[in-house]
Structure formats: structure tokens, C-alpha cells
Amino acid sequence: MSKILLVTGGSRGIGAGIARMAGRDGYDVAVNYNKSKAEADAVVADIKRHGQRAIAIQADVSREAEILRLFETVDRELGRLTAFVNNAGIIASVGRLEDFSFADIARSFDVNATGPLFCAREAVRRMAKKFGGAGGAVVNIASAATTLGSANEFIHYAASKAAMDALTYGLSKEMALEGVRVNAVSPGYIETEIHYDGREAKILPNIPMQRAGTTAELAETVMFLLSEKASYVTGSILRVSGGR
Ligand code: NAP
């Protein structure tokens, strides 16, 4: 049976790393993006070099109609999903809670919480046995921020990402007899463009391993959780944070 994966926010950063590694590991991959078409096309080209099928699909994962269109496009172009990585996310603004606007807080929850919950719904509707699916695996990209709290940086982000933890615990139980495993990876500081300038130097002293993580290190963990090697792992949140 072919392995078919959708990665949201697969155009850049962690999502792009996961999509590329999935090509290496024999998945056909749908690479979702919002704005970065050229980057998404480059990821698709790299996956095709491994002999796998790959497509780029534009969709804003904070919008219901676009999420529905995204999943329908995967059905039509690649076939029924067997794997889903709920990755797209944003840091809407940086500061203290007392400074954030309602719009910043709402956008954080739309992209980091509401959209991913709805995406997970669409994924299990394709994978669960009760819907005629063949089972599968979901990996939610959470954040170490949910337990650290992100004081003086982005509490609204940390709070919105906490939804990924709850989604993982709850959905893993609902899906335990449906052939679908649901896990999360909780990254610490991974080198990508999500960070504001100068953040690395500020954060490094707080990382026990004293370095940033790479997207490849993160992607290897995700590939493990998606694979049959993790056949008895569900409802787990695996921290990839250099000890932070
Ligand atoms: P990034 O480099 O900024 O990449 C974000 C990706 O998400 C891009 O591909 C972007 O696509 C996509 N995206 C953003 N908003 C979207 C939307 N509304 N609809 C569809 N796609 C959207 O960030 P990253 O560091 O790789 O972060 C990936 C995930 O890891 C996020 O969920 C983040 O919260 C989590 N995380 C990251 C770190 C870290 O240290 N990097 C730590 C903890 C958790 P376009 O460019 O096409 O818009």
C-alpha cells in the first residue's frame, strides 16, 4: 500500500524538512503552503528526485473552506491519506500579554489551534476504519512553549499551541481502536525563520545542550512517530529541545 502524507506549512522550516525526509522514506507527499509558492515547488522537486509523487497545494489553514479544498485536492491527486503532519503555525507578534491586540490573539488561535483541530478532523475522516479508511498516523507539531509559557515573548502563541497537546491526548483515545495513532512532537528552539532577530543569542544560555536544533533532527523524530516502528506509541508528546 502506498504511503500518502500531507504536511501543512510544508514550504519552509520544519514542515519543509519533514516533507523532504518523507520523500526519502518512500512517502508520496502533499506540500501545503500559504504564501511561499516558490519554496513549496522546490520541496516538491526534491521529493520527486526520490521517485515519489509530490504536489504543492496553496491553502490558508485558518479557513474552513480552504482546509476542505486542501484535503479534497489530496484525495483527488494522490489518493487516501495514510499520514498527516499538522505543522503550519505562526508567532503573530512579540511582546508582553499586556501589549497584544485582540486581533493578534485571535490570529494565533485561528492558525495554531482552530485550523489544526479542523485539519485533524479531516485527516481522521479519511484514515479511521469507521469511515472506510485503512488507518494511519497523525503527528501534531506542538511546542515546548506550552510548558515554558513564553513570558515576555509570546504568551498568546504558547497558549494557542497548548491546543496541540490536548488534541493529541484526546484524539489518540478516540482513534485507538480506529487504526489511527496520534502523537505530537514538541520542539524547543529549532533554527528556522519563525524567530525574531537576535532570539538565538538570548535563548542559547537556557538550552542545556547549548545549541539550536536542526529541522533534520526534528524531522527524524516525526518520521519515527509516523512509521510502524512506533506501532504501540499513541497519545505521546515527544520533546525535541536539547534538554530545555
Ligand atoms: P516557519 O519557518 O515560519 O514556517 C512556517 C510554515 O507554516 C511555512 O511553510 C508557512 O507557509 C506555513 N504557514 C504559516 N501560516 C500558514 C497558514 N495560515 N496556512 C498554511 N500554511 C501556513 O516556522 P517553523 O519554525 O518551521 O514552524 C513550524 C511549526 O513548528 C509551527 O507550528 C511552530 O509553532 C512549531 N514550532 C517551531 C519551533 C521553532 O523553534 N522553529 C519551536 C516550537 C514549535 P508560507 O510561507 O507558505 O506562508
Side-chain angles (χ1 to χ4, degrees):
M1 198 182 77
S2 50
K3 301 187 286 186
I4 299 174
L5 167 70
L6 167 62
V7 183
T8 63
S11 48
R12 296 185 292 110
I14 288 171
I18 293 165
R20 287 190 165 96
M21 206 169 276
R24 179 201 74 180
D25 288 358
Y27 288 80
D28 294 330
V29 188
V31 178
N32 159 251
Y33 68 98
N34 186 26
K35 295 178 179 152
S36 306
K37 182 179 187 318
E39 288 86 343
D41 287 342
V43 174
V44 163
D46 285 346
I47 296 164
K48 286 182 173 168
R49 272 184 215 112
H50 292 286
Q52 299 303 130
R53 296 182 298 154
I55 52 171
I57 308 170
Q58 192 284 328
D60 179 340
V61 300
S62 67
R63 294 174 186 271
E64 178 183 7
E66 298 192 28
I67 293 170
L68 293 174
R69 175 176 52 74
L70 168 64
F71 279 83
E72 283 160 10
T73 306
V74 179
D75 293 340
R76 203 175 51 245
E77 306 267 327
L78 293 182
R80 200 159 184 146
L81 273 189
T82 65
F84 174 59
V85 177
N86 217 352
N87 167 76
I90 56 158
I91 295 174
S93 53
V94 176
R96 291 165 62 88
L97 185 66
E98 63 212 35
D99 302 319
F100 295 143
S101 67
F102 186 87
D104 283 342
I105 295 170
R107 185 70 186 150
S108 301
F109 278 78
D110 288 349
V111 178
N112 298 336
T114 308
L117 279 155
F118 194 69
C119 285
R121 184 195 88 150
E122 287 305 297
V124 298
R125 282 184 173 200
R126 284 154 176 83
M127 294 175 185
K129 287 183 200 162
K130 69 192 279 191
F131 294 111
V138 174
V139 174
N140 297 314
I141 307 300
S143 176
T146 68
T147 53
L148 296 168
S150 303
N152 303 310
E153 286 195 311
F154 27 69
I155 292 177
H156 54 353
Y157 168 80
S160 67
K161 295 296 288 188
M164 287 296 208
D165 292 4
L167 169 65
T168 304
Y169 292 134
L171 192 61
S172 62
K173 293 183 174 73
E174 289 187 359
M175 289 292 126
L177 295 179
E178 292 293 336
V180 183
R181 293 180 301 101
V182 183
N183 292 291
V185 169
S186 206
Y189 185 93
I190 308 297
E191 243 169 11
T192 72
E193 293 168 346
I194 203 170
H195 306 289
Y196 59 82
D197 286 348
R199 181 161 190 248
E200 181 163 345
K202 203 171 122 186
I203 293 289
L204 272 182
N206 303 324
I207 303 174
M209 288 178 89
Q210 296 277 294
R211 68 171 177 87
T214 66
T215 56
E217 288 173 311
L218 206 286
E220 289 286 9
T221 310
V222 172
M223 296 321 297
F224 163 70
L225 289 172
L226 289 179
S227 78
E228 275 305 302
K229 291 176 189 165
S231 54
Y232 197 54
V233 184
T234 197
S236 291
I237 298 178
L238 187 42
R239 213 169 171 95
V240 180
S241 66
R244 187 157 178 254

